[in-house]
Structures are given as structure tokens and as C-alpha cells.
């Protein structure tokens, strides 16, 4: 009995030692919009085949400010379970709502959250409330008082998630070798993008074309 336990411990140790080499790939990802131009603010998620061991991402604590009638940042990416604090620094009230973004379909009214955040005044900070993002997926932010306010939070259950920069570039690190799927999500997508199958073998550059047209380029 004891020998069996010892043996499995040795095997577990060997598996741990083998991890760094197999999990060390870095993917340099380039996401393109429908017109072939770089697509900024695209969320890229890497998913492993069902049944693969996936480390749980560590929740974080962060803030989305309401500033000059905007959500700052306009797109936040956080691991599932993270706590997001909404803080109003405008001198007037905001009535923030968050609901699952469902690619043009309306989400059930019961899902999501509503926050009444008083405006900041001299000698007094504005309203501030924390919401725990317990469910994976994109969340759309809006304001009942200011219809043009729009923002998004992408809640990820994969530890491999990243947002493209202004040049449509993103880096995914510590990716395991083997089969995987790369998924793109963008606030302005009209339909869910088809995931791309990849086989990771060490560092690589990946180009992802999408049918997404960001709003500022739409006519
Ligand atoms: Cu508002």
C-alpha cells in the first residue's frame, strides 16, 4: 500500500517537473477586422479540448470608473469570480446597468445588475459599488440616465485570455503544446465568430481574420 502511494507521488512530481517545458509557448496573435485592418479591443481566448486539465484563473479586484460620460476602461477583461468596483467620478448621477451581452439577442431582464451611483461633489466622492463577476461571458454596461454610455466586461473562465492593443496585437503566454481553439470576441460583433483550431508547438505567430467591423468604421 505504502509503496503504491510513494510511486504515485514520484509520478506526480515527475509530471510537475515536465510542466514548464510543455506549457511555455508564447503566441503572438494578430487579429484582423473584416476590411483586413488591425482590430483593436478584440478579446482572444484560448480553450483546450474538453477534459484537458486547465488551471483556474485567479480572480482579481479592479475598478471601472464613470468619467465624462464614459466607462473607463471601455473594455475590461477579468477572470471569473473577480470583483469589479464601479466608481462615479462625474459631478452628476449615473444609474449603471450590466447584463449579459448576447450578440444582438436580448438577455433576460432578471440577469445582470443595477447600480445607482451618486455624483461626486466638492469634498465628497461619488457613488461606488462592487460587483462580483460570477458568470463567464461578455457583460454589456450601460446607463439608464445617459443612453450613449456603453462599456463591456469580458469575464473569462480560461486562464489564457487577452485583449488586442491599438494595432490588433496581443500576446498569450504560458500556453500548453497541443490542440486548442482560439476564439475572438469583440463588442461590435454581430454574430459569434467561428473559433479557430490550432496546434501549438512552441512559440508561434497566429493571424486571425474575422468578419467584424468595428463601429467607428461602419457606414
Ligand atoms: Cu450615466
Amino acid at each position: 500500500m505504502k509503496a503504491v502511494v510513494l510511486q504515485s507521488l514520484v509520478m506526480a512530481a515527475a509530471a510537475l517537473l515536465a510542466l514548464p517545458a510543455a506549457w511555455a509557448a508564447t503566441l503572438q496573435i494578430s487579429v484582423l477586422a473584416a476590411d483586413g485592418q488591425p482590430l483593436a479591443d478584440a478579446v482572444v481566448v484560448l480553450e483546450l479540448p474538453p477534459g484537458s486539465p486547465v488551471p483556474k484563473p485567479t480572480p482579481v479586484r479592479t475598478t471601472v470608473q464613470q468619467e465624462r460620460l464614459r466607462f473607463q476602461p471601455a473594455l475590461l477583461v477579468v477572470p471569473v469570480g473577480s470583483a469589479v468596483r464601479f466608481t462615479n467620478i462625474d459631478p452628476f448621477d449615473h444609474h449603471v446597468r450590466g447584463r449579459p451581452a448576447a450578440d444582438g439577442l436580448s438577455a433576460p431582464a432578471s440577469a445582470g445588475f443595477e447600480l445607482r451611483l451618486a455624483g461626486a461633489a466638492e469634498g465628497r466622492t461619488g457613488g461606488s459599488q462592487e460587483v462580483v463577476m460570477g458568470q463567464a461571458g461578455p457583460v454589456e454596461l450601460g446607463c439608464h440616465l445617459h443612453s450613449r454610455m456603453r462599456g463591456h466586461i469580458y469575464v473569462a473562465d480560461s486562464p489564457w485570455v487577452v485583449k488586442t492593443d491599438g494595432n490588433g496585437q496581443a500576446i498569450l503566454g504560458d500556453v500548453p503544446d497541443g490542440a486548442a481553439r482560439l476564439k475572438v470576441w469583440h463588442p461590435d460583433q454581430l454574430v459569434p465568430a467561428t473559433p479557430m483550431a490550432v496546434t501549438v508547438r512552441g512559440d508561434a505567430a497566429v493571424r486571425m481574420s474575422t468578419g467584424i467591423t468595428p463601429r467607428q468604421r461602419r457606414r
Side-chain angles (χ1 to χ4, degrees):
M1 187 63 191
K2 207 170 200 174
V4 172
V5 172
L6 257 181
Q7 191 185 19
S8 50
L9 274 177
V10 169
M11 282 170 69
L16 277 176
L17 286 173
L19 277 179
W23 291 64
T26 297
L27 301 183
Q28 170 77 51
I29 294 161
S30 166
V31 182
L32 303 176
D35 60 3
Q37 296 296 307
L39 184 63
D41 281 337
V43 177
V44 180
V45 188
L46 182 130
E47 292 174 342
L48 298 187
S52 309
V54 174
K56 276 261 164 269
T58 309
V60 298
R61 178 159 261 138
T62 187
T63 301
V64 173
Q65 286 188 333
Q66 290 72 66
E67 182 183 12
R68 295 181 193 179
L69 293 169
R70 286 168 187 267
F71 291 101
Q72 300 279 9
L75 171 61
L76 175 72
V77 178
V78 290
V80 70
S82 294
V84 178
R85 176 163 288 281
F86 292 83
T87 300
N88 182 8
I89 61 171
D90 276 331
F92 40 82
D93 294 2
H94 289 298
H95 186 172
V96 172
R97 63 156 188 265
R99 61 184 177 200
D103 294 318
L105 303 171
S106 56
S110 58
F113 54 88
E114 303 254 343
L115 311 170
R116 288 176 184 275
L117 302 175
E122 227 168 299
R124 175 170 71 82
T125 54
S128 183
Q129 278 190 55
E130 197 172 72
V131 178
V132 173
M133 301 293 150
Q135 197 138 22
V139 174
E140 188 180 68
L141 303 176
C143 176
H144 287 295
L145 306 180
H146 308 103
S147 59
R148 74 181 170 101
M149 286 179 70
R150 185 170 171 261
H152 291 86
I153 299 177
Y154 191 94
V155 184
D157 52 7
S158 166
W160 302 287
V161 60
V162 73
K163 180 173 89 168
T164 58
D165 63 16
N167 297 315
Q169 303 287 314
I171 290 173
L172 272 177
D174 292 330
V175 172
D177 280 347
R181 294 195 323 165
L182 281 171
K183 217 168 68 176
V184 170
W185 181 86
H186 189 277
D188 296 338
Q189 74 184 30
L190 299 176
V191 291
T194 310
M196 177 182 170
V198 291
T199 303
V200 180
R201 273 194 207 94
D203 298 351
V206 183
R207 232 168 113 97
M208 301 185 72
S209 297
T210 73
I212 299 164
T213 300
R215 274 192 186 189
Q216 70 270 22
R217 289 215 289 270
R218 259 181 223 163
R219 282 196 260 177

